[in-house]
Amino acid sequence: MRVLVYSDDAGTREKVRLAIGRRPAADVPLVEIVECATQPAVLKHLDSGEIDIAVLDGEAAPAGGMGVSRQAKDEVHNCPPILLIIARKDDRWLANWSRADAVVAQPLDPMAVAEAVADLMRRRLNLTGSNLPAQPVS
Protein backbone atom coordinates (compact mmCIF):
# COMPACT_ATOMS: atom_id res chain seq x y z
CA MET A 1 0.00 0.00 0.00
CA ARG A 2 1.17 3.51 -0.75
CA VAL A 3 1.25 5.87 2.23
CA LEU A 4 1.74 9.57 1.59
CA VAL A 5 3.54 11.50 4.35
CA TYR A 6 3.19 15.30 4.20
CA SER A 7 5.21 17.79 6.22
CA ASP A 8 7.41 20.74 5.35
CA ASP A 9 9.77 19.44 8.06
CA ALA A 10 12.04 16.63 6.85
CA GLY A 11 12.55 15.53 10.47
CA THR A 12 8.83 15.02 10.98
CA ARG A 13 8.58 13.06 7.72
CA GLU A 14 11.46 10.87 8.87
CA LYS A 15 9.87 10.19 12.28
CA VAL A 16 6.61 9.16 10.61
CA ARG A 17 8.43 7.01 8.03
CA LEU A 18 10.41 5.24 10.76
CA ALA A 19 7.28 4.73 12.90
CA ILE A 20 5.41 3.13 10.00
CA GLY A 21 8.34 1.01 8.86
CA ARG A 22 7.94 -1.51 6.07
CA ARG A 23 4.75 -2.90 7.62
CA PRO A 24 3.01 -1.24 10.59
CA ALA A 25 1.30 -4.49 11.66
CA ALA A 26 1.64 -8.17 10.81
CA ASP A 27 -1.82 -8.40 9.22
CA VAL A 28 -1.42 -5.56 6.70
CA PRO A 29 0.53 -5.38 3.42
CA LEU A 30 3.96 -3.88 2.93
CA VAL A 31 4.10 -0.10 2.76
CA GLU A 32 5.64 2.17 0.15
CA ILE A 33 6.16 5.68 1.53
CA VAL A 34 5.63 8.72 -0.70
CA GLU A 35 7.00 11.88 0.93
CA CYS A 36 5.67 15.35 0.11
CA ALA A 37 6.77 18.75 1.38
CA THR A 38 4.19 20.94 -0.41
CA GLN A 39 0.41 21.13 -0.69
CA PRO A 40 0.40 20.99 -4.53
CA ALA A 41 2.42 17.76 -4.43
CA VAL A 42 0.00 16.23 -1.91
CA LEU A 43 -3.04 17.09 -4.02
CA LYS A 44 -1.36 15.81 -7.19
CA HIS A 45 -0.63 12.46 -5.55
CA LEU A 46 -4.10 12.19 -4.00
CA ASP A 47 -5.77 13.06 -7.32
CA SER A 48 -3.77 10.29 -9.03
CA GLY A 49 -5.73 7.66 -7.08
CA GLU A 50 -2.50 5.80 -6.28
CA ILE A 51 -2.34 6.75 -2.59
CA ASP A 52 -4.01 4.43 -0.07
CA ILE A 53 -3.42 6.40 3.16
CA ALA A 54 -2.29 9.97 3.82
CA VAL A 55 -0.48 11.17 6.94
CA LEU A 56 -0.62 14.97 7.18
CA ASP A 57 1.29 17.26 9.55
CA GLY A 58 -1.18 19.74 11.04
CA GLU A 59 1.67 22.19 11.69
CA ALA A 60 3.11 22.17 8.15
CA ALA A 61 3.65 25.58 6.57
CA PRO A 62 2.49 27.41 4.64
CA ALA A 63 -0.38 24.94 4.13
CA GLY A 64 -1.22 23.08 7.33
CA GLY A 65 -2.35 19.49 7.25
CA MET A 66 -5.76 20.38 8.66
CA GLY A 67 -6.61 22.62 5.73
CA VAL A 68 -5.10 20.15 3.26
CA SER A 69 -7.21 17.38 4.79
CA ARG A 70 -10.40 19.42 4.52
CA GLN A 71 -9.59 20.37 0.92
CA ALA A 72 -8.80 16.76 -0.01
CA LYS A 73 -12.02 15.46 1.56
CA ASP A 74 -13.98 18.11 -0.40
CA GLU A 75 -12.18 17.85 -3.73
CA VAL A 76 -10.54 14.44 -4.20
CA HIS A 77 -12.79 11.72 -5.59
CA ASN A 78 -12.58 8.62 -3.37
CA CYS A 79 -10.19 10.40 -1.01
CA PRO A 80 -8.06 7.93 0.96
CA PRO A 81 -8.23 7.82 4.75
CA ILE A 82 -6.23 10.57 6.42
CA LEU A 83 -4.21 10.47 9.64
CA LEU A 84 -3.63 13.96 11.00
CA ILE A 85 -0.72 14.84 13.27
CA ILE A 86 -1.73 17.58 15.71
CA ALA A 87 0.54 19.64 17.97
CA ARG A 88 -1.74 19.65 21.00
CA LYS A 89 -4.51 17.35 22.18
CA ASP A 90 -6.70 20.48 22.42
CA ASP A 91 -6.50 20.71 18.60
CA ARG A 92 -8.75 17.66 18.26
CA TRP A 93 -11.74 19.87 17.45
CA LEU A 94 -9.81 21.26 14.48
CA ALA A 95 -9.03 17.72 13.39
CA ASN A 96 -12.76 17.03 13.44
CA TRP A 97 -13.32 20.10 11.28
CA SER A 98 -10.68 18.84 8.83
CA ARG A 99 -12.61 15.56 8.49
CA ALA A 100 -9.47 13.51 9.21
CA ASP A 101 -10.15 9.81 9.79
CA ALA A 102 -7.68 9.49 12.67
CA VAL A 103 -5.48 11.73 14.82
CA VAL A 104 -2.19 11.40 16.69
CA ALA A 105 -0.68 14.13 18.85
CA GLN A 106 2.88 15.39 19.14
CA PRO A 107 5.27 14.28 20.48
CA LEU A 108 4.93 11.34 18.11
CA ASP A 109 4.68 7.94 19.75
CA PRO A 110 5.93 5.48 17.09
CA MET A 111 3.57 2.76 18.34
CA ALA A 112 0.55 5.08 18.14
CA VAL A 113 1.48 6.16 14.61
CA ALA A 114 1.98 2.56 13.44
CA GLU A 115 -1.28 1.46 15.07
CA ALA A 116 -3.26 4.33 13.52
CA VAL A 117 -1.80 3.73 10.05
CA ALA A 118 -2.44 -0.03 10.30
CA ASP A 119 -6.06 0.64 11.32
CA LEU A 120 -6.55 2.98 8.35
CA MET A 121 -4.95 0.39 6.05
CA ARG A 122 -7.42 -2.23 7.27
CA ARG A 123 -10.31 0.17 6.67
CA ARG A 124 -9.02 1.02 3.20
CA LEU A 125 -8.70 -2.66 2.31
CA ASN A 126 -12.27 -3.28 3.45
CA LEU A 127 -13.55 -0.29 1.45
CA THR A 128 -11.86 -1.40 -1.76
CA GLY A 129 -13.03 -4.98 -1.39
CA SER A 130 -9.50 -6.37 -1.13
CA ASN A 131 -8.82 -9.23 1.19
CA LEU A 132 -6.23 -9.12 3.91
CA PRO A 133 -3.58 -11.83 3.67
CA ALA A 134 -4.55 -14.96 5.60
CA GLN A 135 -0.98 -15.34 6.86
CA PRO A 136 1.46 -12.47 7.50
CA VAL A 137 3.87 -12.23 4.60
CA SER A 138 7.55 -11.76 5.43
Side-chain angles (χ1 to χ4, degrees):
M1 295 188 88
R2 294 184 83 188
V3 176
L4 180 140
V5 177
Y6 166 63
S7 178
D8 65 318
D9 181 343
T12 299
R13 291 193 310 270
E14 180 180 18
K15 287 177 187 175
V16 172
R17 185 174 36 80
L18 291 173
I20 295 170
R22 289 178 39 102
R23 177 180 284 145
D27 65 333
V28 298
L30 290 173
V31 168
E32 176 187 343
I33 301 288
V34 176
E35 292 187 35
C36 292
T38 66
Q39 176 190 23
V42 171
L43 295 175
K44 177 183 170 192
H45 281 289
L46 293 177
D47 280 335
S48 76
E50 297 177 358
I51 299 298
D52 296 296
I53 308 294
V55 180
L56 309 178
D57 179 2
E59 299 300 307
M66 291 181 208
V68 174
S69 176
R70 178 77 179 211
Q71 181 179 4
K73 291 294 186 173
D74 286 344
E75 298 176 5
V76 174
H77 175 69
N78 199 21
C79 185
I82 294 175
L83 170 62
L84 186 63
I85 300 169
I86 57 175
R88 297 161 296 279
K89 291 185 182 196
D90 291 343
D91 290 341
R92 227 172 256 289
W93 72 274
L94 286 168
N96 289 336
W97 169 85
S98 74
R99 300 193 347 222
D101 299 280
V103 177
V104 293
Q106 292 274 15
L108 290 178
D109 172 359
M111 295 298 289
V113 172
E115 185 177 306
V117 169
D119 182 54
L120 293 178
M121 289 173 74
R122 290 180 195 105
R123 284 198 243 169
R124 182 70 168 182
L125 288 167
N126 287 334
L127 288 176
T128 61
S130 300
N131 293 320
L132 291 170
Q135 297 279 335
V137 180
S138 318

